[in-house]
Amino acid sequence: MGSGTSIGRVRGLGSAKEGAHHWWHQRLTAGANLFLMMWLIFSIARLGGYDYVTVHAWLHSAWVAVPMALLILSVFYHFSLGLQVVIEDYAHHEGRIALMVLLNLFTVATAAIAIFAILKVAFGAAA
């Protein structure tokens, strides 16, 4: 090794200054997921019945559709952040970039389908 102190040898080899941002977003979405999932569980538990017509009428309300859409956005963003970390940590080959692109495409596509379904019911699809 070269001369100098231990801290001098590692200077410049630290964080890329992006980890804190990613970590913070993951914690924010985890808190939002907890809050929104509690809302969903309590809201479903208060339903009079669990048949198709009752649940459809419940989701038709804007007071339900908006938090459901927020839940979908938060869960899928949290999912994407978590799998991004797994790919970055454990994929050590050239296909790593392709995996990241596929992850983002999958996340956006499935979240868009879920949001579309919520909006279709909320804006008056027939029961």
Side-chain angles (χ1 to χ4, degrees):
M1 300 281 277
S3 61
T5 63
S6 299
I7 191 71
R9 285 192 297 271
V10 298
R11 225 178 271 277
L13 300 177
S15 152
K17 307 285 189 274
E18 291 295 323
H21 175 75
H22 189 102
W23 179 88
W24 185 240
H25 277 221
Q26 199 155 23
R27 295 317 176 268
L28 285 175
T29 56
N33 290 346
L34 178 65
F35 175 73
L36 289 166
M37 285 302 290
M38 285 178 24
W39 164 82
L40 179 64
I41 290 167
F42 289 129
S43 185
I44 289 176
R46 291 184 42 202
L47 283 176
Y50 300 111
D51 58 302
Y52 177 80
V53 174
T54 305
V55 174
H56 189 276
W58 171 74
L59 189 56
H60 189 67
S61 166
W63 292 105
V64 175
V66 170
M68 283 294 287
L70 291 174
L71 177 64
I72 294 297
L73 291 172
S74 180
V75 164
F76 277 93
Y77 185 53
H78 186 78
F79 167 80
S80 179
L81 290 172
L83 280 182
Q84 180 182 342
V85 170
V86 171
I87 291 170
E88 288 171 350
D89 288 349
Y90 297 108
H92 299 292
H93 50 79
E94 294 78 28
R96 186 167 143 179
I97 301 297
L99 287 174
M100 294 295 288
V101 169
L102 286 173
L103 169 66
N104 289 330
L105 288 174
F106 173 78
T107 305
V108 168
T110 51
I113 291 168
I115 296 284
F116 176 76
I118 291 168
L119 293 175
K120 188 173 178 180
V121 172
F123 288 129

